[in-house]
């Protein structure tokens, strides 16, 4: 019984939240890795592209809510998401047209494109604050729990409850659908294979008659869709805050580099490694250990490796260690060149 | 007029001309080989024919059509296929996918062409689901040539196809190239292994310092005492 309680505790506070968080990072990292694979630069504006997509979702959700539209028990934001995706795609395609295409045609080094993306990041961040404001927005309006801790305790008779929030399930299901759809696209369709070919060997792709403009366009469309989805799911699961997306760049880039740059499978693996590390390192294991120890014994300390305030340090450490020990990542990817 | 007539080509990188007044011609179903010492501009001539370098002078005519100003990727649909010396396969994709990518510009059924490629290179059929990056050097070259053939080219251009492969594999590869030419495709090839290449060549072009030094049939060049002494090691 004690062991089950310990496991329930861990599931409730580590496993479930980290899985949802990992799914959100995975969607973000997929966009970054895709753009790196095709356009060969680190897109620092990705976080704000996500933010912009989520903002569009929220604005449209408010409009729907104002009209009295509801899909209770599901959150209304799911209806707003397609609009968010379209707006994010609009942002990515416009950004490419206005900023990145110019530098691409100049055949600049990757670092120049990365710098341009930082500029774009500030522009988008400013626009978001201008449009929706810097405050946080809570948009989760559906049923809160699929199973509440109270219900779980009654069902199982354990002391510890496992609460599964609806937004966590929605996050996981939508992320799963998105990832499966993306991999199906990359592995099975003509356009997807052309993207992989272009990412693998640009010159040979040209010799094979693959149109680079089309590949770039598809990459941005997928990136925009993934970005809006990731940010909307994150905002549903937690809360929408414009400044959070600058911070999220760190775990997203850590996941991308850990998985191997330009490797979609690696991005997903990397995202979950980062998410689990972050949650586990900042979780206080005091009660967990208490259940496993002798009767009624609880350790005095919190058994917490790091304060939650430092959670981004975990991503940073992973990033530094990977770059030092295995710069190509788990699945051998590209190495960022200057 | 030859099927491919690249005449009086002058071009290079930046200001300096690497090749000057260089002419290369190929007929349908024939193998033309460009040989010469290191730095003679063989690969440059190849790039010039494919349009990867802007010509300062001269012209390239394919099947009676002047393509001097057509960009390289637009030459693929016109029937030109190019196998670069390095980076000539998609290493992260399977052999089969490599061939599919070769046929990217085609909208018709590519299965018959793929069967032909498998027939020409049986090992590729055996390894069709393996990643091209995991194959040996010789097998990779077969994938590279196979990928180029998937476009159903009229002119196949090979930049040192035998670079870095063993002599046995080289002989095998040359045999396959002869088979390709017999199907009516014009083959233009740059080769480091001059003697072996000239043996299978219908026409040979010996380049020295970016200019045509000798132009003749492969046999005649092999028999030419001066060519032998200067370029074939006696």
């Amino acid at each position: 019984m004690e062991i089950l309680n310990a496991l329930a505790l861990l599931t409730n506070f580590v496993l479930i939240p980290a899985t949802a968080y990992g799914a959100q990072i995975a969607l973000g990292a997929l966009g970054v890795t895709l753009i790196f694979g095709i356009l060969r630069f680190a897109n620092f504006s990705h976080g704000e592209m996500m933010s912009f997509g989520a903002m569009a979702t929220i604005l449209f959700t408010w409009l729907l809510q104002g009209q009295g539209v509801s899909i209770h028990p599901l959150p209304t934001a799911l209806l707003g998401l397609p609009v968010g995706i379209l707006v994010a795609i609009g942002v990515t395609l416009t950004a490419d047209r206005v900023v990145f295409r110019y530098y691409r045609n100049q055949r600049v080094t990757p670092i120049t494109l990365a710098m341009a993306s930082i500029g774009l990041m500030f522009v988008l961040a400013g626009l978001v604050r201008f449009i929706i404001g810097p405050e946080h927005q809570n948009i989760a309006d559906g049923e809160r729990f699929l199973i509440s801790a109270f219900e779980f305790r009654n069902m199982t008779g354990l002391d510890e409850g496992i609460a599964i929030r609806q937004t966590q399930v929605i996050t996981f299901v939508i992320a799963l659908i998105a990832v499966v759809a993306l991999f199906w696209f990359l592995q099975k369709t003509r356009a997807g294979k052309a993207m992989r070919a272009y990412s693998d060997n640009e010159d040979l792709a040209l010799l094979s008659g693959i149109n680079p403009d089309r590949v770039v366009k598809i990459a941005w469309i997928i990136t925009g869709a993934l970005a809006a989805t990731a940010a909307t799911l994150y905002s549903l699961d937690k809360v929408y805050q414009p400044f959070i997306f600058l911070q999220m760049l760190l775990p997203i880039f850590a996941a991308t580099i850990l998985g191997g740059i330009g490797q979609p499978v690696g991005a997903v693996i990397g995202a979950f490694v980062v998410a689990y590390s972050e949650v586990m390192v900042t979780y206080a294991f005091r009660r967990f250990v208490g259940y496993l120890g002798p009767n009624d014994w609880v350790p005095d300390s919190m058994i917490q490796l790091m304060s939650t305030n430092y959670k981004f340090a975990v991503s940073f450490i992973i990033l530094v260690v990977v770059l030092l020990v295995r710069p190509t990542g788990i699945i051998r990817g590209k190495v960022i060149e200057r | 007029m030859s099927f491919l007539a690249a005449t009086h080509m002058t071009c290079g990188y930046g200001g300096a001309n690497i090749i000057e007044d260089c002419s290369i011609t190929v007929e349908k179903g024939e193998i033309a080989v460009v040989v010469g010492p290191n730095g003679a501009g063989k690969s440059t001539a190849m790039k010039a024919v494919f349009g990867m370098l802007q010509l300062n002078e001269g012209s390239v005519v394919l099947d009676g059509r002047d393509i001097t100003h057509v960009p390289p990727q637009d030459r693929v649909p016109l029937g030109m296929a190019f196998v670069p010396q390095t980076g000539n396969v998609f290493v992260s994709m399977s052999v089969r996918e490599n061939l599919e990518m070769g046929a990217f510009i085609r909208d018709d059924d590519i299965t018959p062409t793929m069967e032909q490629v498998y027939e020409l290179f049986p090992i590729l059929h055996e390894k069709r689901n393996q990643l091209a990056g995991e194959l040996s050097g010789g097998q990779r070259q077969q994938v590279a040539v196979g990928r180029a053939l998937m476009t159903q080219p009229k002119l196949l251009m090979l930049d040192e196809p035998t670079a870095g492969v063993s002599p046995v594999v080289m002989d095998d590869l040359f045999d396959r190239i002869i088979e390709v030419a017999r199907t009516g495709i014009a083959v233009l090839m740059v080769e480091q292994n001059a003697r072996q290449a000239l043996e299978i060549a219908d026409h040979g072009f010996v380049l020295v310092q970016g200019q045509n030094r000798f132009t003749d049939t492969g046999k005649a060049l092999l028999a030419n005492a001066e060519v032998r002494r200067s370029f074939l090691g006696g």
Side-chain angles (χ1 to χ4, degrees), chain A residues 186-187 189-194 196-198 200-202 204-212 214 263, chain B residues 50 52 73 76 82 84 87-94 97-98 100-107 147:
Chain A
L186 289 175
Q187 294 298 327
T189 67
R190 216 166 104 94
K193 285 178 187 176
R196 280 165 54 217
Y198 188 86
D200 182 314
N201 189 333
E202 196 180 328
L204 196 59
L206 290 177
L207 288 179
S208 303
I210 292 169
N211 181 352
R214 216 175 105 84
Q263 300 285 359
Chain B
F50 200 72
M52 286 184 279
Q73 57 265 38
V76 179
F82 184 63
N88 51 21
V89 295
F90 298 110
V91 287
S92 66
M93 303 179 88
S94 71
E97 285 172 333
N98 265 276
E100 283 176 20
M101 285 303 105
F104 192 78
I105 51 164
R106 289 174 54 188
D107 290 322
R147 182 205 62 81

Side-chain angles (χ1 to χ4, degrees), chain A residues 178-189 192-193:
Chain A
V179 169
V180 169
L182 177 65
F183 283 107
W184 175 82
F185 172 77
L186 289 175
Q187 294 298 327
K188 299 290 175 205
T189 67
K193 285 178 187 176

Side-chain angles (χ1 to χ4, degrees), chain A residues 148-161:
Chain A
S148 74
F150 180 73
E151 285 168 348
F152 184 85
R153 278 199 293 266
N154 283 349
M155 256 161 32
T156 57
L158 290 174
D159 293 334
E160 289 300 331

